[in-house]
Amino acid sequence: MLEEDIAEILIDEKTLQARIRELGEQISRDYQGKRPILVGVLKGAFMFMADLIRHISIPHEIDFMATSSYGAATESSGIVRILKDLDTPISGRDVLIVEDIIDTGLTLDYLLRILRARNPASIRVCTLLDKRERRRIPIPLDYVGFEIPNKFVVGYGLDFGEIYRNLPYIAVLKPEIYRGNE
Ligand code: IMP
Ligand code: MG
């Protein structure tokens, strides 16, 4: 059972959903009269994206990118590979990147540089989680769900070794689960 591997629930389902509703309402206000493209970064952001857009009341489109960072399981290398690019041209469009978590910031920094080169009208970032103490590159974040401490978390789209994405909350695993994988 997956739940047996959990040491602590950091953000429970109710708290998550209440904050996601607020973010959706704020985005709806900020993009009033516009038709933004929300770009979800796979795989981690899939669940957040699905819940977030249910609280967005203005017309918008969605698209996805998939990236993979080389290196160990719980550490970003800064070398990012694009596994799936956007289907939509974004020149002249209002782009809102939807991320699961910003850790070192290396992945998002790379992504922002690629997308800015395509001349969008605007580009903003919405992340569910912000592990601010780990930041190695300053990244302007427009919408942040929660700031979290420097702990490796799983659930609500986030994985450890591709498992635990389905959990409806954000949790920390028992140390023996991570051991040998870092
Ligand atoms: P960054 O490039 O260091 O900011 O890391 C970005 C990516 O690393 C995120 O989009 C996640 O896929 C992954 N990541 C960073 N921290 C965690 C975590 O605590 N749990 C699960 N994945 C994480
Ligand atoms: Mg990610």
Side-chain angles (χ1 to χ4, degrees):
M1 297 287 280
L2 294 178
E3 285 190 5
E4 289 163 13
D5 298 345
I6 285 160
E8 180 198 355
I9 294 181
L10 214 60
I11 309 168
D12 65 31
E13 190 172 0
K14 213 171 149 220
T15 309
L16 266 182
Q17 292 300 332
R19 181 69 185 124
I20 292 166
R21 170 185 287 271
E22 287 177 355
L23 289 173
E25 290 170 352
Q26 196 189 334
I27 289 165
S28 306
R29 283 194 297 274
D30 293 352
Y31 285 90
Q32 193 67 248
K34 298 191 168 143
R35 180 186 159 133
I37 303 179
L38 276 70
V39 173
V41 184
L42 295 173
K43 300 172 194 172
F46 83 101
M47 204 177 280
F48 176 40
M49 178 81 139
D51 284 341
L52 180 68
I53 62 173
R54 278 180 263 203
H55 299 293
I56 297 184
S57 54
I58 53 148
H60 61 279
E61 299 172 35
I62 65 165
D63 203 340
F64 292 94
M65 284 184 87
T67 60
S68 118
S69 124
Y70 294 108
T74 60
E75 196 61 42
S76 190
S77 64
I79 304 165
V80 180
R81 201 157 43 115
I82 293 190
L83 303 177
K84 183 220 170 287
D85 205 337
L86 296 175
D87 298 332
T88 331
I90 56 164
S91 169
R93 302 293 308 268
D94 295 299
V95 174
L96 179 59
I97 299 178
V98 178
E99 263 282 23
D100 51 356
I101 185 165
I102 314 299
D103 185 28
T104 62
L106 294 169
T107 307
L108 185 61
D109 180 67
Y110 180 85
L111 212 59
L112 277 169
R113 274 186 280 141
I114 288 176
L115 296 182
R116 278 196 193 111
R118 298 179 190 179
N119 298 312
S122 71
I123 187 155
R124 288 185 187 170
V125 178
C126 175
T127 185
L128 180 66
L129 306 175
D130 179 9
K131 229 191 258 183
R132 198 158 293 180
E133 342 167 4
R134 293 256 308 164
R135 202 62 38 80
R136 284 170 56 191
I137 296 188
I139 301 269
L141 297 178
D142 302 279
Y143 305 94
V144 175
F146 303 89
E147 261 189 56
I148 62 163
N150 183 11
K151 290 180 177 175
F152 193 85
V153 293
V154 298
Y156 200 74
L158 292 114
D159 71 305
F160 178 66
E162 294 299 326
I163 310 296
Y164 307 104
R165 292 190 197 274
N166 60 313
L167 299 175
Y169 44 74
I170 300 291
V172 178
L173 297 176
K174 292 178 179 164
E176 60 263 35
I177 309 290
Y178 297 120
R179 211 160 286 148
N181 285 284
E182 276 176 290

